[in-house]
Amino acid sequence: DDDAASAMLGMEVLHVGPGEARVSMVVRDDMVNGHDLCHGGLIASLADSAFALACNSHGPVTVAAGFSVDFLEPARLGQVLEASAREVVLRGRSGLYDVTVRAGDTVVAEFRGRSRSLR
Amino acid sequence: DDDAASAMLGMEVLHVGPGEARVSMVVRDDMVNGHDLCHGGLIASLADSAFALACNSHGPVTVAAGFSVDFLEPARLGQVLEASAREVVLRGRSGLYDVTVRAGDTVVAEFRGRSRSLR
Amino acid sequence: DDDAASAMLGMEVLHVGPGEARVSMVVRDDMVNGHDLCHGGLIASLADSAFALACNSHGPVTVAAGFSVDFLEPARLGQVLEASAREVVLRGRSGLYDVTVRAGDTVVAEFRGRSRSLR
Amino acid sequence: DDDAASAMLGMEVLHVGPGEARVSMVVRDDMVNGHDLCHGGLIASLADSAFALACNSHGPVTVAAGFSVDFLEPARLGQVLEASAREVVLRGRSGLYDVTVRAGDTVVAEFRGRSRSLR
């Protein structure tokens, strides 16, 4: 795999299809703050990786222009997080993708990413 | 330091003051994708850490309710990134913070975080 | 109706249910710019009204803390826009709602609103 | 003026310069809800108009790709709102603009818009 960042965070790609992807990550003890809660940026990183796989699933190299994320429930040490990305719309070189991050049945975060293909 | 996530990412706290903070991070080879560009989620993680320090600088435990980030220029392997957070508004238990991430003089990302104090 | 703003913009409420609402608006000639395209803020206003109905459908007075909107296709003079709001999550006093604005089958805008109930 | 929507909402352009603009609007009785508070979408419309003037100040026709807004204080019937837009960054055909909406000294809303020039 050429994505060293996802590997460093222990992410596992569960599925990639046209406009969609699922990626999981275990909340390790080097990912938490003093309250044993996962750093929000790392939750966003998981969602961002699923987003990247989904928006690159069509072929052309595509990058993230930006994203927003809402944190709904904390993610705790040892939990397995799963990010599920789906394409909302793809128009020309711009796309919009929603990613839901869950710990079991609990929604931890909702992420919305904007993509741009380079050619 | 009790923030294992920031330590894992090699972040260095440069400054914390009332409603503000600056944090730096070097883009390591385990933070990039196959094009030697820093994972966007990790850029956001750096900004999120500066945001967390700024919004907790007043005393009460404060958490991120969410954030948005716009990626303006890529961050490359070996670059030193610096995130500078400032308070836009603090009203009751809710706050709004802007964080600019730079590599030298180049603005890499603009981040806007929403905070909520727990009591 | 006690919402003068929605009336001024000619909005029609099509449906309100628990956590959901649909509202329509015709793009009038006093809503467009010089290219006969609807002002983006008015498209957002339509979505915001559907959001307000959806998040107030549970009883407690609930207000918008903020929202984001992505404009996907222009809306033109004379088109009928329909905004459809659905609850993504409601946790304590905070909620997250997605609103899709369509002109016929075309998605004009995707809106995500954050609500907060006052008690 | 060829912007019928801004005229319909009674907006007054106070200033336009390179990458910046200021626009005002009085909260009329057809802009409020039952509590005499201004419709959030109309506050966003005011900010969006200031944003449009700022991002079109350089010449090429430029449109809003999207925006986010955080509502910080309510705006009341009869208040004069002033939206002040400034360019955060302009890179190629993409721009980022921040708009602050005030009622006197009170910050009512913070708006961040993303623009795209058409050629």
Side-chain angles (χ1 to χ4, degrees):
Chain A
D1 193 332
D2 66 350
D3 186 340
S6 298
M8 184 257 283
L9 296 172
M11 293 183 198
E12 187 177 353
V13 178
L14 305 177
H15 169 76
V16 180
E20 59 185 42
R22 285 187 298 119
V23 182
S24 70
M25 181 178 84
V26 178
V27 181
R28 296 186 314 221
D29 57 11
D30 62 353
M31 295 178 176
V32 298
N33 63 19
H35 303 280
D36 279 352
L37 303 180
C38 188
H39 188 288
L42 298 182
I43 297 172
S45 294
L46 173 64
D48 191 42
S49 288
F51 163 44
L53 289 168
C55 70
N56 278 285
S57 65
H58 299 294
V61 173
T62 302
V63 299
F67 65 76
S68 65
V69 60
D70 289 273
F71 297 113
L72 304 168
E73 293 286 347
R76 296 172 192 287
L77 178 61
Q79 284 188 316
V80 180
L81 304 182
E82 186 174 316
S84 178
R86 58 199 172 283
E87 193 169 275
V88 176
V89 71
L90 180 62
R91 187 187 59 144
R93 289 165 53 193
S94 297
L96 195 68
Y97 293 77
D98 280 355
V99 186
T100 301
V101 180
R102 289 185 179 84
D105 290 340
T106 302
V107 175
V108 165
E110 290 284 350
F111 172 107
R112 173 163 284 180
R114 290 171 283 102
S115 69
R116 184 113 191 116
S117 66
L118 296 185
R119 77 204 72 204
Chain B
D1 194 331
D2 67 351
D3 186 339
S6 298
M8 185 256 284
L9 296 172
M11 294 182 198
E12 186 176 354
V13 178
L14 305 176
H15 170 75
V16 180
E20 61 186 40
R22 285 187 299 119
V23 181
S24 70
M25 179 179 85
V26 179
V27 181
R28 298 185 313 220
D29 57 10
D30 62 352
M31 295 178 176
V32 297
N33 64 17
H35 303 279
D36 279 353
L37 304 181
C38 189
H39 189 289
L42 298 182
I43 297 172
S45 294
L46 173 65
D48 191 43
S49 288
F51 162 46
L53 288 168
C55 70
N56 278 285
S57 65
H58 298 295
V61 174
T62 302
V63 298
F67 66 76
S68 65
V69 60
D70 289 273
F71 297 113
L72 304 169
E73 293 287 347
R76 296 171 193 286
L77 178 61
Q79 285 188 316
V80 180
L81 304 182
E82 186 173 317
S84 178
R86 58 199 172 282
E87 194 169 274
V88 176
V89 71
L90 180 62
R91 186 186 60 142
R93 290 165 53 193
S94 297
L96 195 68
Y97 293 77
D98 280 354
V99 186
T100 301
V101 181
R102 288 183 180 84
D105 290 340
T106 302
V107 175
V108 165
E110 290 285 349
F111 171 107
R112 174 163 283 180
R114 290 170 283 102
S115 69
R116 185 116 192 114
S117 67
L118 296 185
R119 77 204 73 204
Chain C
D1 193 331
D2 65 352
D3 186 341
S6 298
M8 185 257 283
L9 296 172
M11 292 183 200
E12 184 176 355
V13 177
L14 304 177
H15 169 75
V16 180
E20 60 184 41
R22 284 186 300 119
V23 182
S24 70
M25 180 178 86
V26 178
V27 180
R28 298 186 312 219
D29 57 10
D30 62 353
M31 295 178 177
V32 297
N33 63 18
H35 303 281
D36 279 353
L37 303 182
C38 188
H39 189 289
L42 299 182
I43 297 172
S45 294
L46 173 64
D48 191 43
S49 287
F51 163 45
L53 288 168
C55 70
N56 279 285
S57 65
H58 299 294
V61 173
T62 303
V63 299
F67 65 76
S68 64
V69 60
D70 290 271
F71 297 113
L72 303 169
E73 294 286 347
R76 298 172 191 287
L77 178 61
Q79 285 187 315
V80 181
L81 304 181
E82 185 173 318
S84 178
R86 58 199 172 283
E87 194 169 273
V88 176
V89 70
L90 181 62
R91 185 186 61 145
R93 289 165 53 192
S94 297
L96 194 68
Y97 294 77
D98 280 354
V99 185
T100 301
V101 180
R102 288 184 181 82
D105 290 340
T106 302
V107 175
V108 164
E110 290 285 349
F111 170 107
R112 174 164 283 180
R114 289 171 284 103
S115 69
R116 185 120 192 111
S117 67
L118 296 185
R119 77 203 74 204
Chain D
D1 193 332
D2 65 353
D3 186 340
S6 297
M8 185 257 284
L9 296 172
M11 292 183 199
E12 186 177 354
V13 177
L14 304 177
H15 169 75
V16 180
E20 60 184 43
R22 283 187 300 118
V23 182
S24 70
M25 180 179 84
V26 178
V27 180
R28 300 186 313 221
D29 58 10
D30 62 353
M31 295 178 178
V32 298
N33 63 18
H35 303 281
D36 279 353
L37 304 181
C38 188
H39 189 289
L42 298 181
I43 296 172
S45 293
L46 173 64
D48 191 43
S49 288
F51 163 45
L53 289 167
C55 69
N56 278 285
S57 65
H58 298 294
V61 174
T62 303
V63 298
F67 65 75
S68 64
V69 60
D70 289 273
F71 297 114
L72 303 168
E73 292 286 347
R76 297 171 193 287
L77 179 61
Q79 284 187 317
V80 180
L81 304 182
E82 185 174 316
S84 178
R86 60 199 170 283
E87 195 169 272
V88 176
V89 71
L90 180 62
R91 185 187 60 144
R93 291 165 52 192
S94 297
L96 195 68
Y97 293 77
D98 280 354
V99 186
T100 301
V101 180
R102 288 185 181 81
D105 290 339
T106 302
V107 175
V108 165
E110 290 285 350
F111 171 107
R112 174 164 284 180
R114 290 171 284 104
S115 69
R116 184 117 192 114
S117 66
L118 296 185
R119 77 204 73 201

